[in-house]
């Protein structure tokens, strides 16, 4: 029971963050097309240099319906070295207009600055290199002066980018809120002829990775993807959804032509664009009109006044993108409810040390699916335990340990009724506040003869008799992370030798993920402790790099006195067609067998549907690990137990050993 | 003029450190064999388990002459899981003796604890794994109780060591002063058949590297090398001299037999042992006597009382090691003087912002070799400038910029005398304290008619005439790092168009190094700034992984108004036979052309002999970079100039991009 409790507690704080986002987080309120509230509602257009900015906005936004433009700020013929020789410092820089031609809010809401595409800071030509540095700094300075929300940086020209990254990194240190979007083509890497020793980068992700490592994962350095007419494999594309991609630029040449002469996209492109919508990535249309229907329209617009919005040559492309947007299924209600929690890190519960609040119980009790599964498990256990012929004479002793405000008591009694078995229930609960509600419930329902309330910690209670069935729900997002094993160690003292524990076992699962968002949020704390803590989080903008694997399993009742310490080494193979990727940490889940074939869990491939009590857990890595195509990631996880706490330690041993995280539970632990 | 000035300033502080070292740094005063003061004077012996520790010490130290023993602390038949089943907690652990059998100082000075060699924390057998963890913790705990200075950890058994490292790392967090020496065999990696995809590690360095990365470079985790009868290549061996190697264990089987039946070592082994001596690495003899002469002696010792020290079976091996030690050349005086500065990080000078102290001048002025080179350069310049026939009529105007207390004035005048040329000298100096001495010198030497003293910063002085020759010594360990270019920019205003600058050019050099010592000293500061600072240091315990390469060159006088900013990308190829290695940072040097073929410098391959004014410079890396055999390390260095400061930025771009260090000179800069 990991996610919702903390969600409730943190709601106030979250609202503050959402307000803050609106102010600071460079959202562009460039229009409204209904539906979701993410940035992907807005569509931009890349334009050529034009020093009449009011006209640029009028033509592309007001008339054509785009939400913003990506426009060059500086005349492309400008070169600093030429100016210096000619005018010795008195010249005005050839920017597009003065800052007064648009209002401040027009600049910041409707214009993304496009840095001169000729710049090449890693050229062999020193004059070009120095000119590039000068121009880049001048243009960014101008964009900052205009309070633009982002600038688009041209794609690095060669195979290396050290000097470009050095200069951008220097700029980033002094930048207030503006983002820098590095333009990266999504290139198809030729799977068959990959030559690891080749000098040319076949995988454009590598260029992005070098650039951002050199800039030390700066949170304002983002990606704008150039979408070309051919696309790499699904796995290769998926990597990008864990990176800080802000925009995807689709060239008109990447569109197909439909039977009626209008632009459309291939099925794979359509799917990709839908995915961009779902990940708050804005679409930008770029290039000239190259489709018959649009060309005709464009020609017309030269001979007539541009009053009809249909006459913008790229309007049909925008219409098509809008069509794809509106074609999407509406968000399910649960998704809509959880929208605000996407990629929002929450501290895990300390359920043994703290008592839950009423609101938390309230939320969890609404998770109908969970109790249906428990009821099914108790039914099956009762039928196995008591044959039909003994149903009327044999009373089963069932103990709910961690009864809370009673939902598992209710599910158990409903199971007894459903199966016609006689039940005696002990409801053991350590939280005295929940005990109050429990008493009221028993009275209200008239269960006084069947249910005995015990106000005690299950680890110290002296039970008056032994139980046939022990029912508990002490599971965290990572299974054992709320110390279910330690609690049940205490409770199993009063379970009969042949008694049944529901759940009968649970297993944690893990998979490596790329998630620049989560990594940067952890890093923002600027300390070691946050990098050695596990977080409850609804992971959304992430790339899952390999299928999840089981980690630790606990079975109840335990047969021998085995320890609750565990050690697991896992090998995750990164698919060859993924290309290279970066691992920011691990997503964790659990799956519990309640009884026989009745299970409950959040492991993605087998998750119980419509259940909202648990989000995933996230274990970060202090330094993200680079993994090459087809490489194996070797990961070690330990569950360690001390006299007063339980904690995890983790590390990567291959391809590159990481430090061991959370040594001796120094940063993160769960108190006993 | 980098090294000595700061050395002088820091002498007091250094003495404190030396005293501290004696107390804390686990030096073992186990005997005295004359010569140097490093730990390599002491020789140890590895022994079997024996619970009569007084006898062990008596037999091996008092009788045989060894300085310390490496002795098992626990009976090797002990297994925790067996004990628990038998005696349920009442048993006494089978340690070698009680703590009272030796005095505390005997324990700590004469015994290194040897951890049970059967332990295997990465075994597939869970019982063995858990037994190993229990035993390891018990033995280290006992060794700590005895205040031993070090324990020897057995070599990891398999190809992975994650669980072993996790357990050792947990222990390291709570250890006071004790070192843990991980035993690593120096294995010969088969150069011809290296199979990168092989599961077995052919290079034992890889095991060490994984282990220490997992333990995050903990400064108390060290290496004890096992020296076998065959040795890998020189390059492969050299790597280890940058690692924290504390001891090398030589098995008797690695000795050859000389003509008279006594043990001796191969030429390559002898050279290696001498290198160990020079790097404070202690020799430990291990194994049984396997040489004819020693066996005979050993047999005798069984029949007689062990009073004669010659009767210890391994005494001939100790004698041979002692012979190698005494055979070494004595340390040259300069080396002896600089012994205390080995691997001692010093902050670089800020010569423009600070004035040097008298003691600093004093030290530098003693560097005769430097002034001999300057005198040779001035001689050649005078001969080129004034033909013999004009010698008596033409007066050359020579300006010493940065005259200090006058050594370059003296060298110039001596050159004039030597060549019979007439000289007019201006001595320009910004430090008013040095001007006082300079006046006294001129008067004392009777140079009033020839030398004009100018108390001014050369960057602002208005010279009354132009100079034929400009003499300066503004060089730092990295050439331009004390801002010689910026100073000479100012001074060249008053150099004739065809005038000569001495030096006429200087170039910085760089090479990648392994140096665990320097890395850990930087890391001990626990902040970013120290990882982004360059240090002046006499680099000793380091492995130089590739030949140095030129970085930045400055030529004087400058022809055009080129900038003093520089960018250099370098590619260092790690030799194939080195194997893998780790790069902790870069050693920097300079070489200056004073005039034509007269040069001055500290670049190792061309260093001017017997010159002590400069130590090397060290640029650290925040995260050490792993380089595979034959791989190319791509390194970028920038020299950046602002209105008030000059700084370097640096990064690695291949094989793994590092963050760019010292962005905008945030951590380290030289003030203008």
């Amino acid at each position: 029971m990991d996610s919702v409790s903390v969600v409730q507690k943190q709601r106030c704080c979250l609202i503050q963050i959402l307000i803050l986002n609106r102010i600071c987080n460079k959202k562009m309120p460039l229009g409204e097309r209904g539906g979701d509230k993410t940035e992907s509602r807005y569509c931009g257009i890349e334009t050529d240099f034009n020093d009449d900015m009011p006209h640029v906005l009028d033509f592309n936004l007001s008339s054509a319906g785009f939400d913003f433009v990506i426009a060059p700020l500086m005349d492309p013929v400008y070169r600093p070295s030429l100016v210096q020789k000619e005018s010795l410092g008195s010249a005005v820089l050839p920017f597009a207009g003065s800052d007064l031609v648009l209002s401040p809010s027009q600049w910041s809401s409707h214009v993304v600055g496009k840095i001169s595409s000729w710049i090449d800071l890693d050229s062999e030509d020193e004059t070009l290199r120095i000119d590039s540095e000068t121009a880049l700094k001048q243009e960014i300075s101008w964009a900052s002066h205009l309070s633009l929300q982002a600038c688009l940086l041209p794609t690095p020209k060669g195979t290396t980018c050290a000097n470009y990254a050095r200069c951008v990194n220097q700029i980033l240190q002094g930048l207030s809120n503006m983002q820098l979007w590095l333009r990266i083509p999504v290139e198809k890497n030729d799977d068959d002829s990959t030559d690891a020793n080749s000098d040319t980068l076949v995988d454009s992700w590598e260029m992005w990775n070098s650039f951002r490592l050199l800039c030390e994962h700066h949170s304002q350095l983002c990606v704008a993807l150039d979408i070309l007419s051919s696309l790499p494999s699904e796995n290769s594309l998926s990597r990008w959804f864990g990176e800080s991609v802000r925009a995807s630029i689709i060239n008109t040449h990447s569109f197909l032509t439909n039977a009626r002469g209008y632009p459309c996209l291939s099925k794979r492109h359509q799917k990709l664009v839908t995915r961009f919508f779902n990940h708050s990535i804005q679409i930008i249309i770029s290039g000239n009109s190259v489709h018959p229907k649009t060309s005709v329209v464009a020609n017309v617009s030269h001979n007539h006044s541009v009053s009809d919005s249909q006459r913008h040559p790229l309007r049909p492309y925008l219409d098509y993108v809008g069509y794809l947007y509106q074609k999407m299924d509406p968000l399910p209600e649960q998704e809509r409810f959880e929208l605000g929690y996407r990629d929002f890190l929450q501290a895990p519960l300390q359920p043994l040390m703290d008592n839950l609040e009423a609101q938390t119980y309230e939320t969890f009790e609404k998770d109908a699916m969970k109790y249906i599964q428990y009821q099914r498990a108790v039914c099956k256990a009762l039928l196995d335990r008591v044959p039909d012929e003994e149903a009327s004479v044999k009373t089963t002793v069932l103990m709910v340990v961690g009864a809370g405000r009673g939902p598992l008591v209710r599910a158990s009694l409903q199971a007894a009724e459903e199966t016609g078995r006689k039940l005696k229930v002990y409801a053991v609960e350590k939280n005295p506040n929940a005990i109050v509600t429990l008493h009221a419930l028993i009275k209200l329902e008239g269960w006084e003869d069947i249910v005995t309330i015990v106000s005690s910690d299950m680890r110290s209670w002296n039970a008056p008799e032994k139980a046939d069935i022990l029912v508990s729900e002490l599971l965290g997002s990572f299974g054992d992370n709320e110390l279910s094993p330690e609690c049940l160690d205490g409770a199993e003292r009063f379970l009969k030798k042949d008694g049944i524990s529901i759940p009968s076992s649970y297993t944690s699962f893990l998979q490596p993920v790329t998630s620049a968002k989560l990594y940067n949020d952890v890093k923002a704390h600027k300390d070691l402790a946050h990098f050695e803590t596990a977080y409850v989080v609804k992971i959304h903008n992430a790339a899952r790099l390999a299928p999840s694997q089981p980690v630790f399993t606990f079975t109840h009742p335990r047969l021998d006195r085995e320890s609750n310490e565990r050690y697991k080494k896992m090998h995750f193979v990164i698919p060859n067609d993924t290309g290279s990727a970066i691992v920011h940490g691990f997503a964790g889940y659990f799956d519990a067998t309640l009884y026989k074939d009745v299970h409950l869990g959040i492991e993605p491939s087998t998750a119980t549907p419509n259940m909202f009590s648990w989000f995933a857990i996230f274990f970060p890595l202090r330094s993200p690990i680079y993994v090459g195509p087809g490489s194996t990631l070797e990961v070690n996880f330990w569950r360690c137990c001390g006299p007063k706490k339980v904690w995890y330690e983790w590390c990567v041993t291959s391809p590159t050993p990481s430090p061991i995280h959370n040594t001796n539970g120094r940063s993160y632990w769960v108190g006993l």
Side-chain angles (χ1 to χ4, degrees), chain A:
Chain A
M1 45 178 192
D2 244 337
S3 65
V4 183
S5 63
V6 187
V7 165
Q8 295 287 346
K9 282 187 206 162
Q10 297 191 339
R11 185 153 291 166
C12 300
C13 152
L14 186 69
I15 288 166
Q16 289 173 336
I17 288 168
L18 288 175
I19 292 169
L20 219 63
N21 273 352
R22 192 157 305 172
I23 300 166
C24 307
N25 214 7
K26 289 127 251 130
K27 187 187 269 192
M28 295 211 175
L30 308 180
E32 189 82 35
R33 283 189 283 141
D36 71 344
K37 296 286 172 197
T38 65
E39 284 156 4
S40 54
R41 286 174 296 158
Y42 310 116
C43 186
I45 180 169
E46 183 178 7
T47 70
D48 289 334
F49 177 77
N50 186 332
D51 61 6
D52 183 355
M53 282 304 288
H55 170 75
V56 169
L57 290 202
D58 191 51
F59 180 63
N60 292 291
L61 310 194
S62 316
S63 310
F66 285 97
D67 297 305
F68 62 98
V69 298
I70 303 224
L73 300 172
M74 180 88 89
D75 192 328
V77 303
Y78 165 75
R79 292 294 180 282
S81 57
L82 298 176
V83 172
Q84 278 164 16
K85 278 177 193 154
E86 287 160 10
S87 63
L88 292 168
S90 64
V92 174
L93 291 171
F95 285 126
S98 95
D99 51 358
L100 294 175
V101 300
L102 297 180
S103 71
S105 76
Q106 280 182 307
W107 278 117
S108 71
S109 300
H110 298 319
V111 181
V112 167
K114 184 181 165 185
I115 303 301
S116 289
S117 52
W118 58 263
I119 70 164
D120 182 3
L121 278 96
D122 290 277
S123 168
E124 294 290 318
D125 174 351
E126 193 176 352
T127 305
L128 173 54
R129 218 166 61 213
I130 292 170
D131 265 2
S132 300
E133 179 163 351
T134 307
L136 176 60
K137 286 182 173 166
Q138 286 169 339
E139 293 179 35
I140 299 274
S141 165
W142 177 244
S144 295
H145 176 69
L146 299 174
S147 297
L148 301 194
Q149 302 198 34
C151 278
L152 181 69
L153 300 175
T155 309
K157 298 271 185 301
T159 54
T160 57
C161 61
N163 196 44
Y164 191 3
R166 190 264 315 160
C167 185
V168 168
N169 191 45
Q170 286 183 339
I171 292 167
L172 282 166
Q173 308 304 314
L175 220 51
S176 52
N177 283 319
M178 193 164 69
Q179 291 182 343
L180 301 181
W181 298 351
L182 186 66
R183 188 169 191 158
I184 300 283
V186 177
E187 268 166 341
K188 188 171 176 66
N189 44 351
D190 198 357
D191 292 349
D192 299 330
S193 67
T194 306
D195 180 1
N197 299 318
S198 165
D199 259 1
T200 55
L201 284 175
V202 289
D203 184 352
S204 59
W205 180 91
E206 298 279 0
M207 179 67 80
W208 159 244
N209 188 49
S210 291
F211 207 104
R212 71 87 175 273
L213 288 176
L214 291 165
C215 295
E216 216 184 343
H217 306 269
H218 198 288
S219 60
Q220 284 162 267
L221 180 66
C222 307
V223 182
L225 293 175
D226 250 327
I227 304 301
L228 311 179
S229 54
S230 72
L231 293 176
S233 71
E234 282 308 299
N235 278 328
S236 173
L237 285 174
S238 289
R239 290 179 296 178
W240 290 107
F241 291 94
E243 302 285 358
S244 50
V245 179
R246 291 288 168 272
S248 72
I249 304 167
I250 310 180
N251 194 281
T252 50
H253 286 281
S254 301
F255 284 80
L256 305 174
T257 310
N258 73 8
R260 296 187 297 128
Y262 284 100
C264 64
L265 288 169
S266 75
K267 287 273 180 224
R268 289 198 64 209
H269 279 82
Q270 289 180 40
K271 195 177 151 203
L272 182 62
V273 168
T274 305
R275 236 173 138 184
F276 288 144
F277 289 145
N278 281 323
H279 285 82
S280 311
I281 296 169
Q282 298 179 309
I283 306 292
I284 293 158
I285 304 294
S286 162
N288 296 319
S289 168
V290 292
H291 289 78
K293 283 290 181 187
T294 59
S295 303
V296 171
V297 172
N299 287 337
V300 171
S301 75
H302 276 287
N303 304 325
H304 296 77
S305 69
V306 190
S307 62
D308 183 353
S309 66
Q310 285 298 338
R311 296 191 184 168
H312 189 292
L314 299 191
R315 176 67 194 228
Y317 300 90
L318 173 62
D319 288 343
Y320 183 75
V321 170
Y323 157 75
L324 289 181
Y325 184 78
Q326 281 143 32
K327 210 178 72 167
M328 287 193 297
D329 290 332
L331 276 176
E333 189 178 359
Q334 192 184 326
E335 278 289 309
R336 209 171 294 185
F337 167 74
E338 291 171 357
L339 214 51
Y341 305 114
R342 283 184 176 173
D343 300 314
F344 180 74
L345 296 171
Q346 303 171 47
L349 283 177
Q350 284 278 7
L352 265 64
M353 292 166 61
D354 305 333
N355 283 323
L356 301 185
E357 293 164 11
Q359 215 175 18
T360 313
Y361 285 118
E362 183 79 19
T363 313
F364 282 130
E365 287 166 14
K366 284 190 182 144
D367 195 349
M369 195 60 198
K370 184 169 90 177
Y371 299 108
I372 288 169
Q373 291 299 85
Y374 266 91
Q375 187 174 330
R376 288 185 56 208
V378 176
C379 280
K380 294 205 172 188
L382 284 174
L383 291 175
D384 278 0
R385 194 116 189 124
V386 182
D388 282 342
E389 55 275 21
E390 293 180 43
S392 59
V393 292
K394 189 167 178 181
T395 299
T396 301
V397 178
L398 182 147
M399 294 178 179
V400 177
V401 288
R405 305 197 309 185
L408 288 175
V409 173
R410 184 188 298 277
S412 300
L413 291 175
Q414 283 171 351
E417 199 179 312
E418 189 182 331
T419 55
R421 263 56 179 174
K422 291 166 69 84
L423 215 55
K424 180 177 181 188
V425 175
Y426 289 88
V428 185
E429 173 55 47
K430 76 168 173 56
N431 179 357
N433 308 312
I435 291 285
V436 176
T437 321
L438 209 45
H439 269 290
L441 174 76
I442 303 299
K443 202 173 165 189
L444 183 73
E445 298 282 359
W447 294 338
E448 290 95 334
D449 295 341
I450 316 166
V451 179
T452 308
I453 296 173
V454 180
S455 179
S456 172
D457 188 314
M458 69 182 89
R459 292 171 294 175
S460 53
W461 181 45
N462 283 317
E465 60 180 317
K466 293 213 166 186
D468 296 286
I469 302 176
L470 202 61
V471 178
S472 67
E473 195 282 82
L474 306 162
L475 298 168
S477 298
F478 199 53
D480 58 76
N481 65 307
E482 292 183 8
L483 309 195
S484 181
E486 284 71 17
C487 292
L488 292 181
D489 278 356
E492 282 169 19
R493 289 177 294 123
F494 41 84
L495 179 63
K496 288 181 183 167
K497 277 213 162 159
D498 65 344
I500 292 167
S501 170
I502 295 177
S504 62
S505 77
Y506 36 88
T507 299
S508 47
F509 288 82
L510 214 61
Q511 71 184 156
V513 295
T514 300
S515 174
K517 166 74 168 67
L518 298 183
Y519 175 77
N520 266 317
D521 284 358
V522 173
K523 184 170 164 242
H525 290 281
K526 295 184 179 169
D527 62 20
L528 174 66
H530 281 84
F531 271 119
E532 299 193 331
T533 298
Y535 300 88
V536 167
V537 55
K538 180 166 175 59
I539 299 175
H540 183 73
N541 281 327
R544 292 159 212 262
L545 299 170
S548 72
Q549 293 185 19
V551 191
F552 307 133
T553 296
F554 288 85
T555 304
H556 298 283
R558 295 196 303 183
L559 293 176
D560 54 356
R561 299 299 307 168
E562 65 163 344
S563 144
N564 286 328
E565 300 208 304
R566 292 285 188 280
Y567 168 43
K568 177 78 174 199
K569 191 192 305 192
M570 288 155 281
H571 295 93
F572 297 97
V573 178
I574 309 304
N576 245 308
D577 67 349
T578 300
S580 309
I582 203 159
V583 182
H584 289 112
F586 303 92
Y589 320 100
F590 80 93
D591 189 77
T593 299
L594 294 183
Y595 185 67
K596 292 193 167 164
D597 64 339
V598 184
H599 86 109
L600 192 76
I602 60 167
E603 195 282 314
S605 66
T606 60
T608 310
N610 303 317
M611 198 172 63
F612 58 81
S613 290
W614 295 273
F615 288 155
I617 201 163
F618 176 68
F619 290 91
L621 282 171
R622 289 164 54 182
S623 291
I625 301 266
Y626 170 94
V627 284
S631 68
T632 297
L633 183 72
E634 186 177 87
V635 182
N636 301 266
F637 262 72
W638 291 268
R639 188 183 198 266
C640 305
C641 303
K644 293 188 176 170
K645 65 179 187 180
V646 173
W647 70 96
Y648 302 103
E649 300 191 18
W650 62 97
C651 71
V652 169
T653 37
S654 182
T656 323
S658 73
I660 293 165
H661 289 57
N662 196 33
T663 305
N664 289 323
R666 64 183 166 198
S667 300
Y668 159 62
W669 44 271
V670 189
L672 278 166

